[in-house]
Amino acid sequence: MRKTYMFVISSALLLGATNVSAAFITSSGDAALSGGSVIDFEDQTLGTYTSLTIGDVTFTASDNHLRIDNTYQGYNQSGIYLDNGTYGNNGFGTLNIDFSGSTSAFGFTWGMAESFASWNLSAYDSSSSLIESYILPSTGSSSAGEFFGISAAGIASASLSWQGSYDWIAVDDFTWASASVPEPSTLLLLGAGLAGLFAARRRQPA
């Protein structure tokens, strides 16, 4: 009986460890984003904002402002997109991204990032604990469609922040996938297994 208890607990812990694995997304066609929702910013009013909610996603500039812009075309964006200002009107150094529900993956086209600044993309769970963080590559004037993001179980928020000199960057085609509910979840599996073992033990003759 003791071995059976240990097997159930170990299995649940292993399933839990699998659920929290994270991966770096490098393509809009990544399977983790399949069936996801896309914000292309085309229906947004041009101008500067401190915070902007679009559907289930809220973008907040923790310092200065964010900007809905169409100044440049190309550079991995087209039409209207989100950026952090212009060279004469500097915007955010950190952009916070909050999801209204649990998210399993997100990403965006990444434009105008220069090599003199280091941009970090981080994902957090509902307790604001860091899940994973990556340094995004520079794209400069590329229009090759560079797309980056993070996939992991239980993403509640994310941040995009720089270190170094001010860097004017652009984000477009923001895509996210809602987390599916595990069937069964790790806790339900563990609870059901232990309940079954307790019931079996009570049925044993004294």
Side-chain angles (χ1 to χ4, degrees), residues 8 12 26 33 49 81 89 111 128-129 154 161 165:
V8 172
T26 58
L33 294 170
Y49 301 82
Y81 50 87
N89 185 18
S128 298
S129 297
S161 59
S165 301

Side-chain angles (χ1 to χ4, degrees), residues 139-157:
T139 56
S141 59
S142 172
S143 289
E146 285 93 341
F147 186 101
F148 301 108
I150 295 174
S151 66
I155 298 173
S157 64

